[in-house]
Each structure stands twice: as structure tokens, then as C-alpha cells.
Amino acid sequence: MAKRSAPEVNAGSMADIAFLLLIFFLVTTTIEKDSGINRKLPPIEESEEDVIIKQKNIFTVLLNKNDHLLVEDEVMELKNLRKAAVEFLDNGGDGSCTYCKGKKNPSSSDNPDKAIISLKNDRETSYSAYISVQNELVAAYNVLRNRRALEIGAQKGFPKMNFIDMQDNYKDVRWNGNKEKLKDVIDQIKTEIPQKLSEVQ
Amino acid sequence: MSKFKKKKEGGLAPINTASLPDIVFMLLFFFMVATVMREDTLMIQNALPVANQIEKLDKKNPISYIYIGKPSANYKKFGTEARIQLNDKFADLGEVGTFINAERAALREELIPFLTVSLKVDKEANMGIVGDVKQELRKVNALKINYTTGSGDALTNK
């Protein structure tokens, strides 16, 4: 008997079927954006107690309806905001802050714990401008925290790790280091340079 | 009848397309893995601004989404001002509180304090409506919020 070869199956339409599925998935799904700037809103408090804050400890940032910036009563470009905020936070005016490297200008903030950044915007301010300003202010805090993390980390056994890396490692289950010690370092940095960003309604 | 058939003349040999399905399947699998099903049908424009000091939203914790933006082309009859969308519908400011309470009611008790509200706001929206929503969130004590953004240089936002 002669051997007969198996008949070939026509797979020409397979591509069509796959395309159909592909297009279905393209249409019904989205690539999700799931990252952003985390903020905590202040709770509404019943008791109206006025807290007296020295004017020099407040860094006022105003954003008007044309998206122009007014920082400490001076017009400023967005790209200079980060540097100005770092200088303000890092000033160390009363000398109680041992890790500050600022100019110790007596008319600027006392120490990072007392320094408050106050952000005020108009109703007509565009959201994108607002996010840019928020981003720059958070960046200013991160600059200082990263610098501090490199200093403390070297002493505590986490060399060459900035604050962002520390937080990432702390959350990462696969990271095999001493998490409790790392948590202490993160908490220390957070208390030394707290994020005090207030928004005026 | 000749023993030697003449070769057919003219016409190119057909291109072998056997690997085409493989390529398409590869694309298909990529999209199946990298994307998620749409949760809500967006009735508004929702181009998010970019920022670079961003943190990932923790998927372990419950997240509620509030969308804000101009009604998109099909919904022009709702005006040109930015509006709030909750779930699949346009909503008024007063409904934000109800929405958060409903979201909370659907959660397990121990997770309620960890509810994060993700604000997906179109970059052309004004801060007025965002401020109002934030005020409403404060009223119902939903204080953890996240301004959801894309990643990129914030200075290019304009």
C-alpha cells in the first residue's frame, strides 16, 4: 500500500480570527493609569482655634486665574519654584536644625518642622497648572528627604539609597533586608522633614 | 500526452503567510495582559496632566474613582463646562457624598478607613470644581485622595 500523506489543513482564516479577537480587546480594554500624587485632606474641625504661626515660617504660593505664580509676593516662573521651596525649607533660621544646609537667614523659616508651605489658587486656575505646582512642591520635599536619606542611610547600613528607593524597598516583598530598621530610618526622615503643605480654600 | 509537464508560466509564487496568525496572537496576548476591561464608560474628556513625583496607587486598598471633565463630543447637550461623572452617569456636586457612602457600604468594615479616592481630572478643567469636590469629600470624611496623573515632566503641562 502506498503511504498517503496527511491532507493539509487550510489555516488561512486563522489570522482573521486572531485579528477579530485582537480588535475586540483593543476596543474594550484600557491601559490603566494608576499612579499619581497622594494627598491627605484636612478634616473639618468643629473647634475654631486660631493657631498663631509666624509669618516668616509660611511660604505662600499663589496661583491666579491666568496660571501665573506669585511666590512670597514675587512673580516667579514655575521652573524656579522647586529651588525656592528647597531654600525656604532648608533655611534653618533658629539654628535648631543640625542637618540643614541653608543660609540661616533670620527672616526665613526657623526649621523644617515649623516651615509651612501654603498654596492658594483661584477658581479659574487650570488643573494642569495646579498639578505642576503641586508636583514641584512635593519635589522640593523629596529633594531634601533624598539628601537626608543618603546621609542617614550611610550610617545605618543602607548606603546609596535615597528616600524614594527606601520607600520602594520597604513596600517590595522581594527585598531582603532588615525592614524594621529601614522603617525606623524612614520614620526618622519623615519626622525631621515633615510634609507640611496646606491648601487654602 | 507529454511526459514532461511544462512549468506554469507567469505569476509569482504565493507568499507564505503561515506566521501571520502567530504575530497577531502575540499582539493579542500582549493586549490581554497589559490592559484591563473598562470599568466605566467615560462620557467626558479625560486627558490627565503629567507629573513626576508620583506614587503608585496601592491596589490592596479600595479605590473609588471620580472623573471630572468637559462632556465629550457625543454629550455636547450637557454643556461645555467641566462636569463630574460618577460611575456611568453625570452627577451633581451633592451626589459626591452619597457616592462615597455607597462605596463605603460595599466594603468590608476593616477596609473602610483605607478607601482612597482617585480624582481623574481633565487637564483643562478649572480648580473651582475640583475644590468643590474636595470640600464635599472633607464633609464625608474621605480624606485620602490621589490626583491621578500620567508620568512625565510637569513643566510640559501647559
Side-chain angles (χ1 to χ4, degrees), chain A residues 31-75:
Chain A
I31 295 183
E32 212 170 65
K33 280 183 182 157
D34 57 349
S35 54
I37 300 173
N38 280 331
R39 285 257 77 93
K40 202 147 192 206
L41 297 172
I44 296 181
E45 274 166 30
E46 303 293 317
S47 60
E48 286 281 319
E49 258 182 66
D50 277 346
V51 186
I52 297 156
I53 303 162
K54 274 191 231 160
Q55 194 53 47
K56 67 173 188 170
N57 280 327
I58 304 177
F59 186 73
T60 50
V61 180
L62 287 166
L63 194 57
N64 79 355
K65 64 178 181 183
N66 298 322
D67 298 346
H68 293 158
L69 264 181
L70 190 73
V71 178
E72 296 280 71
D73 299 327
E74 276 170 48
V75 180

Side-chain angles (χ1 to χ4, degrees), chain B residues 1-7:
Chain B
M1 276 248 295
S2 61
K3 198 150 194 180
F4 307 99
K5 258 187 200 156
K6 261 192 192 161
K7 261 189 185 168

Side-chain angles (χ1 to χ4, degrees), chain A residues 91-189:
Chain A
N91 182 51
D94 65 355
S96 66
C97 163
T98 49
Y99 45 86
C100 292
K101 297 193 174 64
K103 290 178 187 144
K104 304 220 184 320
N105 181 356
S107 62
S108 188
S109 78
D110 284 333
N111 57 49
D113 188 39
K114 283 187 180 160
I116 292 172
I117 294 180
S118 152
L119 173 60
K120 192 170 164 48
N121 60 272
D122 270 1
R123 283 190 73 86
E124 282 87 25
T125 305
S126 84
Y127 181 67
S128 63
Y130 172 79
I131 285 295
S132 303
V133 170
Q134 280 269 4
N135 184 62
E136 291 307 298
L137 294 177
V138 174
Y141 281 108
N142 279 342
V143 165
L144 290 175
R145 284 179 168 184
N146 282 342
R147 195 186 72 192
R148 187 69 185 140
L150 289 174
E151 286 170 12
I152 301 182
Q155 298 162 10
K156 297 273 171 76
F158 303 106
K160 295 201 177 99
M161 208 190 283
N162 67 25
F163 187 70
I164 307 288
D165 294 338
M166 281 184 182
Q167 277 185 322
D168 286 348
N169 282 338
Y170 183 68
K171 279 184 196 151
D172 190 358
V173 275
R174 282 167 299 177
W175 186 71
N176 47 0
N178 190 339
K179 281 209 175 175
E180 274 174 29
K181 223 170 141 190
L182 187 64
K183 176 92 176 115
D184 287 345
V185 176
I186 291 175
D187 285 346
Q188 188 189 341
I189 295 166

Side-chain angles (χ1 to χ4, degrees), chain A residues 6-49:
Chain A
E8 234 173 80
V9 179
N10 182 10
S13 55
M14 180 137 88
D16 301 1
I17 296 166
F19 264 121
L20 212 78
L21 282 170
L22 175 64
I23 289 165
F24 170 74
F25 271 89
L26 277 174
V27 173
T28 55
T29 64
T30 46
I31 295 183
E32 212 170 65
K33 280 183 182 157
D34 57 349
S35 54
I37 300 173
N38 280 331
R39 285 257 77 93
K40 202 147 192 206
L41 297 172
I44 296 181
E45 274 166 30
E46 303 293 317
S47 60
E48 286 281 319
E49 258 182 66

Side-chain angles (χ1 to χ4, degrees), chain B residues 18-43:
Chain B
S19 56
L20 186 65
D22 300 1
I23 297 167
V24 181
F25 268 118
M26 214 162 68
L27 280 171
L28 174 65
F29 288 138
F30 169 75
F31 274 93
M32 283 173 71
V33 172
T35 62
V36 289
M37 284 281 172
R38 263 178 223 268
E39 276 180 28
D40 304 308
T41 322
L42 283 187
M43 298 160 83

Side-chain angles (χ1 to χ4, degrees), chain B residues 65-148:
Chain B
Y65 296 95
I66 294 180
Y67 304 90
I68 299 173
K70 267 193 277 189
S72 55
N74 292 346
Y75 301 95
K76 273 277 154 34
K77 60 180 174 199
F78 292 102
T80 51
E81 272 300 297
R83 302 195 51 149
I84 306 166
Q85 186 186 342
L86 301 171
N87 293 330
D88 275 343
K89 287 194 285 293
F90 285 119
D92 293 326
L93 199 55
E95 291 172 51
V96 174
T98 337
F99 168 73
I100 294 296
N101 285 331
E103 290 278 299
R104 280 190 178 147
L107 291 176
R108 291 210 311 277
E109 183 132 9
E110 69 268 22
L111 287 175
I112 290 176
F114 297 102
L115 179 76
T116 311
V117 180
S118 160
L119 294 173
K120 294 198 167 181
V121 185
D122 188 76
K123 55 183 166 189
E124 281 170 26
N126 288 340
M127 275 313 288
I129 189 162
V130 182
D132 290 343
V133 169
K134 282 200 292 189
Q135 194 62 25
E136 288 296 316
L137 290 177
R138 285 179 66 191
K139 278 185 199 158
V140 290
N141 216 27
L143 302 177
K144 272 168 74 111
I145 58 167
N146 179 288
Y147 300 110
T148 307

